[in-house]
Amino acid sequence: MAVSDPPPESLIQPDKGPMMLERELNKQVTIEQFVASLKSGMTIGIAGWGPRRKPMALVRAILRSDLTDLTIVAYGGPDVGMLCAADKVKKVVFGFVSMDAIPLEPWFRKAREAGGLDILDLHQGMLELGLHAAAFRLPFLPTHVGLGTDVMTHGGFKTVQSPYNDGEVLLAMPALKLDAALLHVQRADRLGNIQALGPDTYYDEWFARAADKTFVSAEEVVDRMDHSYPEDARFNIVERCFAHAVVDAPLGAPPTSMPPAYGWDMKALKAYAASAREEAGWDAYAADIIGADEADYLDRVGGKDAVAALPLPIF
């Protein structure tokens, strides 16, 4: 084709105004649509850190579903414990599973002690590197972490030798490829832009980058972030191309905290932990607390105003 030739008719697109393009790029879905897009047997990464910033509204949607045989990758808290208690999980890949003030997550511990749960217990840095490798579309990344420890004995890891003059032997941390990642943030827009305001977002962006699809729940969903909160653009921790879908989930993190907005619900966490010591404790807890939907859940744990007013913990 000569430079002056017109483009082929097949490449000519009708002129689309900005409003039409925004409608076509709208990534907002309902929480029901989110859970319907998942399948049993998936590997799902759950962002957040222990009892902080967990996408618990999305986790509860999974708890109410018939999904099962999931592999969960997480720096875990009650998200992992609840999914184990509900028999949704076949394997957990984790750096830790803890609720901070309650160091041993009781339902995760119970599942491990029962012996039916497949696990891969990683150093926190190894989990991070596994996410990095998946994000970079690499089969593995070399590291010193784990060498000379029982991680090598029990994790099935292999080593690689540096091709350079040093010839150093390093652990080859395999990519942790995720079918889906779940994040919870303060703000999102319908196009997939997000803003995470807390001081401890840690590795959330790498869960998003390592996944085939990333589902972001948000305290607030707006039409356009650059129109509503342009002054906070620096809090966008990952590009919108990595957000597959956005779910409006106000107060979507409890019983975990969502700094700087609200703290964890320690009363609820203690009641949840206590249920692990009771006969048929999970069934009773699920019936009393999880509820039919998120509105029902919030009513059962004290109402929206009480949850929004939870004080931030001091570390």
Side-chain angles (χ1 to χ4, degrees):
M1 179 188 300
V3 174
S4 59
D5 290 344
E9 187 174 342
S10 60
L11 295 182
I12 299 176
Q13 298 292 327
D15 183 32
K16 295 182 178 180
M19 295 298 292
M20 181 179 294
L21 287 173
E22 285 187 26
R23 285 196 296 270
E24 291 182 357
L25 293 173
N26 185 1
K27 297 180 179 180
Q28 187 171 3
V29 301
T30 66
I31 200 165
E32 292 79 14
Q33 289 171 322
F34 148 72
V35 78
S37 68
L38 302 180
K39 296 179 180 179
S40 293
M42 276 186 163
T43 296
I44 298 177
I46 304 178
W49 184 262
R52 287 173 269 177
R53 297 177 299 94
K54 286 292 181 177
M56 294 304 296
L58 303 186
V59 170
R60 282 187 287 272
I62 295 174
L63 292 174
R64 299 181 190 108
S65 76
D66 58 1
L67 293 167
T68 189
D69 293 325
L70 301 174
T71 295
I72 301 298
V73 180
Y75 296 97
D79 53 328
V80 173
M82 290 183 186
L83 291 169
C84 288
D87 201 24
K88 300 292 186 182
V89 181
K90 68 176 180 181
K91 182 176 182 178
V92 181
V93 180
F94 62 99
F96 58 78
V97 182
S98 172
M99 296 191 292
D100 283 0
I102 304 172
L104 296 178
E105 211 293 341
W107 281 104
F108 175 67
R109 178 180 183 177
K110 198 166 185 175
R112 288 193 67 177
E113 290 176 345
L117 184 64
D118 190 7
I119 64 164
L120 181 57
D121 188 351
L122 298 174
H123 182 280
Q124 295 174 26
M126 293 176 72
L127 197 155
E128 178 190 2
L129 285 173
L131 295 174
H132 284 200
F136 297 149
R137 305 301 187 259
L138 296 173
F140 67 90
L141 281 174
T143 180
H144 293 110
V145 180
L147 291 174
T149 73
D150 279 347
V151 167
M152 294 294 298
T153 305
H154 300 291
F157 294 101
K158 298 181 180 180
T159 59
V160 292
Q161 186 172 9
S162 169
Y164 298 103
N165 291 338
D166 58 273
E168 188 173 5
V169 175
L170 300 165
L171 184 147
M173 179 61 209
L176 293 173
K177 300 176 182 178
L178 308 176
D179 296 311
L182 315 182
L183 279 68
H184 188 65
V185 299
Q186 269 80 12
R187 303 166 183 159
D189 69 18
R190 300 176 193 276
L191 304 179
N193 297 297
I194 65 176
Q195 290 180 357
L197 306 183
D200 55 357
T201 55
Y202 296 134
Y203 309 118
D204 285 18
E205 66 175 285
W206 295 105
F207 280 93
R209 296 177 192 277
D212 290 339
K213 294 182 179 180
T214 296
F215 298 90
V216 180
S217 59
E219 296 286 313
E220 178 186 9
V221 177
V222 298
D223 286 330
R224 287 280 298 269
M225 198 74 75
D226 55 341
H227 294 173
S228 299
Y229 297 104
E231 71 281 2
D232 289 333
R234 67 189 183 279
F235 295 115
N236 189 345
I237 60 173
V238 67
E239 297 85 352
R240 74 183 188 195
C241 63
F242 292 103
H244 172 75
V246 171
V247 178
D248 187 21
L251 301 174
T256 72
S257 64
M258 190 60 185
Y262 52 83
W264 57 25
D265 189 338
M266 186 50 61
K267 179 181 178 181
L269 289 174
K270 287 180 177 179
Y272 161 70
S275 70
R277 301 190 296 268
E278 300 168 359
E279 187 71 25
W282 172 253
D283 291 339
Y285 177 87
D288 291 343
I289 302 299
I290 299 301
D293 54 28
E294 280 304 288
D296 192 15
Y297 166 78
L298 290 171
D299 286 343
R300 290 169 185 241
V301 294
K304 294 181 179 180
D305 290 344
V307 172
L310 289 166
L312 288 167
I314 299 174
F315 296 99

